Amino acid sequence: PYWSQLSFRRAELPPEKLERLGADCARVFERLDFRDYARFDFRDGEDGRPRLLDANINPTWYEGGKLSLMAGWAGHDYATMMRMILEAALTRAVSFRDARADDLRFVLDGLADNRRIEGRSPEAAACTDADEAEYAARIAAGTVRILEIDDQPAAFLSYALDFEVMYVAGAFLWIDLVYVRASMRGRGLGKRLYDEAARLARQSGCAKVVADVFSANEGSVAFHERVGFTPLYTIFEREV
């Protein structure tokens, strides 16, 4: 049969055309309320303009299929592709709400855990009365968002709209703290927090989201670059 003689290769497209196709696919994906994954098939006309042939909401998953082939071109092996699909489904039950007074302990525990991750001593990581007062005030001000899975707190975002940073002009949303419960990490929730920050920024008339990242924390640097952040400036230190 003819289909046994078919083979596929990555299309050689100009970068600007590839970027435009990706943006169009993302827009159709959102407009049609697709979930988790999809495959879009195009064909160029004689004028060189691509036409959408099919928006496939359930392309086959099998290893060696077109979806896994394209995932490989994007740098993802088959196992990674499957993990990304499953993570998208697992996080579909995610919802956001404003933090309440009874969320204060969860927020403080997250603050202390973040400090431990940064390598601080147990004494330095522990929350103080000042921390408790600060985050109680943030919760009361409505600038802490709780991410829930199945109605249980799994992560949170603390932000500010009145923070000042050198060399940052115009209105921006400042990310004070993000935290994902240890048992919930690796599910894409960090990206969901940053997507929520971007939504809040747009809603508040801000043009950008700003966060501080230590260059020594290579994992955090890689994550922020992956979700669209670019470095602004670097702080140096010298021991004396």
Side-chain angles (χ1 to χ4, degrees), residues 180-191:
V180 178
R181 193 187 295 274
S183 61
M184 295 292 179
R185 292 169 193 161
R187 299 188 182 188
L189 299 185
K191 183 179 183 303

Side-chain angles (χ1 to χ4, degrees), residues 205-240:
C206 299
K208 63 190 75 173
V209 175
V210 181
D212 61 341
V213 181
F214 287 100
S215 58
N217 189 340
E218 296 180 356
S220 182
V221 170
F223 169 80
H224 282 82
E225 290 178 344
R226 194 162 60 247
V227 297
F229 282 76
T230 54
L232 181 61
Y233 58 82
T234 302
I235 297 175
F236 291 86
E237 68 174 0
R238 174 187 173 185
E239 294 185 2
V240 295

Side-chain angles (χ1 to χ4, degrees), residues 167-213:
Y167 310 119
V168 178
F172 64 90
L173 181 145
W174 170 258
I175 293 182
D176 164 64
L177 180 66
V178 292
Y179 175 73
V180 178
R181 193 187 295 274
S183 61
M184 295 292 179
R185 292 169 193 161
R187 299 188 182 188
L189 299 185
K191 183 179 183 303
R192 296 295 292 266
L193 291 173
Y194 278 80
D195 288 345
E196 176 69 1
R199 185 193 69 80
L200 291 166
R202 289 191 298 269
Q203 177 181 287
S204 302
C206 299
K208 63 190 75 173
V209 175
V210 181
D212 61 341
V213 181

Side-chain angles (χ1 to χ4, degrees), residues 35-203:
R35 301 190 309 187
D36 307 337
Y37 71 105
R39 193 191 74 222
F40 296 88
D41 300 334
F42 292 86
R43 177 176 293 171
D44 270 0
E46 291 183 355
D47 57 1
R49 294 177 58 193
R51 269 73 171 181
L52 178 63
L53 297 179
D54 180 33
N56 190 338
I57 62 171
N58 192 29
T60 53
W61 291 10
Y62 70 88
E63 190 168 7
K66 294 177 188 174
L67 188 66
S68 69
L69 186 65
M70 290 186 289
W73 293 336
H76 307 299
D77 61 20
Y78 182 69
T80 302
M81 182 195 81
M82 292 301 301
R83 178 177 58 78
M84 293 170 69
I85 292 173
L86 294 174
E87 284 178 354
L90 286 170
T91 58
R92 221 188 304 129
V94 164
S95 61
F96 282 93
R97 61 170 174 82
D98 285 337
R100 305 183 298 254
D102 59 357
D103 292 309
L104 180 59
R105 177 44 52 193
F106 173 58
V107 171
L108 292 176
D109 287 346
L111 174 62
D113 196 18
N114 268 9
R115 288 171 174 172
R116 286 191 290 270
I117 292 170
E118 292 172 354
R120 302 192 196 186
S121 67
E123 295 77 14
C127 290
T128 63
D129 291 343
D131 291 325
E132 184 170 349
E134 176 185 349
Y135 282 92
R138 289 180 180 277
I139 289 173
T143 58
V144 179
R145 296 283 284 168
I146 299 292
L147 181 155
E148 291 186 327
I149 295 181
D150 296 329
D151 299 323
Q152 296 298 316
F156 70 83
L157 160 72
S158 174
Y159 68 96
L161 296 169
D162 56 356
F163 198 74
E164 295 184 1
V165 180
M166 289 188 302
Y167 310 119
V168 178
F172 64 90
L173 181 145
W174 170 258
I175 293 182
D176 164 64
L177 180 66
V178 292
Y179 175 73
V180 178
R181 193 187 295 274
S183 61
M184 295 292 179
R185 292 169 193 161
R187 299 188 182 188
L189 299 185
K191 183 179 183 303
R192 296 295 292 266
L193 291 173
Y194 278 80
D195 288 345
E196 176 69 1
R199 185 193 69 80
L200 291 166
R202 289 191 298 269
Q203 177 181 287

